[in-house]
């Protein structure tokens, strides 16, 4: 079964797996993200991963028109990031640490870093 | 097939860049450091993947469009990162407690005094 696969096929499979993992990690940040700005950064990163996916699909299928779609997605992603930023600027960010344990953990980490700086 | 090999190598490099960007996004302590990871490594990752598509096709129209796309991403990434950082600071997202230098604080306070 493995004989049919060329070098490029194996690389494409590997790349798709790596991109899927990074998609999942970015989604975790979007779900967790304590502040609204964290979520916007995550969505911006998600667009970058999507562009990567489209480029890999272009290599896999041989339809080079995918490059146009990637450029259009980049444009839309940039515009949406700007729109989100202006939205937050106007309405403010009222998100808080919903998870008390997480807040305490962050505080503890910061304390440790300050001690590390001092010593 | 030399350009198959080069395209495969570029695909792998770009995917690793994007993976490191998303790991940074998950592991860094506050918005400002997360943004640094996402806007630099993420942009380079998607740019290298588009470059791989250009190398694989070896047609002038595809190569020129891919290069135009990369230039566009390189121009827009710092703009959006700057906007998000400014908005996060103004709306009161605190930097990580380990941050030692905060030059923007004086600037923001000055502006508040000027516009009562």
């Amino acid at each position: 079964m493995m004989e049919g696969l060329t070098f490029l096929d194996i690389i494409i499979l590997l790349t798709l797996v790596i991109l899927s993992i990074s998609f999942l990690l970015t989604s975790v940040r979007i779900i967790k993200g304590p502040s609204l700005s964290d979520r916007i950064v995550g969505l911006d990163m998600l667009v970058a991963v999507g562009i990567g996916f489209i480029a890999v699909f272009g290599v896999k299928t041989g339809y080079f028109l995918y490059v146009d779609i990637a450029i259009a997605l980049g444009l839309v992603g940039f515009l949406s990031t700007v729109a989100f930023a202006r939205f937050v600027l106007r309405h403010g960010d009222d998100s808080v640490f919903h998870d008390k344990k997480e807040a305490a953990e962050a505080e503890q980490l910061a304390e440790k870093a300050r001690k590390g700086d001092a010593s | 097939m030399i350009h198959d090999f080069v395209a495969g190598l570029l695909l792998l490099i770009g995917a690793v860049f994007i993976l490191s960007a998303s790991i940074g996004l998950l592991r860094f302590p506050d918005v400002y450091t997360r943004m640094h990871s996402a806007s630099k490594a993420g942009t380079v990752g998607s740019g290298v993947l588009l470059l791989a598509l250009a190398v694989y096709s070896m047609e002038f129209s595809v190569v020129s469009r891919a290069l135009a796309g990369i230039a566009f991403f390189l121009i827009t990434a710092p703009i959006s990162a700057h906007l998000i950082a400014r908005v996060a600071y103004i709306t009161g997202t605190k930097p990580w407690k380990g941050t030692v230098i905060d030059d923007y604080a004086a600037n923001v306070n000055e502006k508040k005094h000027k516009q009562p």
Side-chain angles (χ1 to χ4, degrees):
Chain A
M1 187 198 155
M2 288 299 278
E3 276 86 55
L5 291 175
T6 61
F7 166 76
L8 200 58
D9 288 336
I10 297 167
I11 290 286
I12 285 171
L13 275 180
L14 201 63
T15 309
L16 286 176
V17 169
I18 293 174
L19 285 180
S20 308
I21 293 170
S22 47
F23 210 87
L24 283 178
L25 293 181
T26 312
S27 328
V28 169
R29 173 50 66 201
I30 292 176
I31 295 167
K32 268 177 71 176
S35 74
L36 203 51
S37 314
D38 281 303
R39 299 204 164 95
I40 299 174
V41 173
L43 288 172
D44 201 26
M45 179 67 203
L46 217 56
V47 170
V49 181
I51 292 166
F53 262 121
I54 291 171
V56 177
F57 278 129
V59 175
K60 186 177 164 65
T61 58
Y63 288 127
F64 299 130
L65 277 177
Y66 273 121
V67 78
D68 290 338
I69 302 173
I71 291 173
L73 180 62
L75 209 144
V76 171
F78 170 64
L79 286 183
S80 71
T81 306
V82 172
F84 269 131
R86 296 204 55 92
F87 170 78
V88 177
L89 191 63
R90 181 164 280 248
H91 290 273
D93 179 7
D94 52 358
S95 56
V96 288
F97 266 108
H98 288 299
D99 194 357
K100 284 277 184 290
K101 206 181 94 196
E102 204 172 82
E105 231 169 57
E107 195 62 37
Q108 225 173 29
L109 260 175
E111 193 59 40
K112 220 161 81 184
R114 266 177 290 184
K115 271 183 193 154
D117 257 5
S119 64
Chain B
M1 288 308 219
I2 186 71
H3 59 80
D4 271 19
F5 182 75
V6 175
L9 210 63
L10 285 175
L11 281 177
L12 212 56
I13 292 171
V16 168
F17 262 106
I18 287 189
L19 180 68
S20 66
S22 63
I23 291 174
L25 198 67
L26 195 62
R27 298 275 303 158
F28 274 140
D30 70 359
V31 194
Y32 308 102
T33 44
R34 275 172 205 148
M35 195 160 40
H36 142 84
S37 154
S39 76
K40 283 177 211 155
T43 309
V44 170
S46 50
V48 170
L49 285 178
L50 275 184
L51 205 63
L53 181 59
V55 168
Y56 181 70
S57 76
M58 277 305 192
E59 289 170 22
F60 176 73
S61 61
V62 179
V63 172
S64 60
R65 271 180 285 179
L67 287 181
I70 292 169
F72 178 73
F73 298 148
L74 287 182
I75 290 169
T76 57
I79 297 174
S80 57
H82 169 83
L83 264 177
I84 299 170
R86 189 165 158 273
V87 161
Y89 201 96
I90 288 174
T91 54
T93 307
K94 290 274 174 290
W96 182 44
K97 292 278 171 44
T99 307
V100 284
I101 298 177
D102 187 3
D103 277 339
Y104 196 41
N107 200 352
V108 168
N109 289 336
E110 209 173 282
K111 263 187 190 165
K112 268 182 193 163
H113 283 303
K114 270 182 189 167
Q115 301 169 344

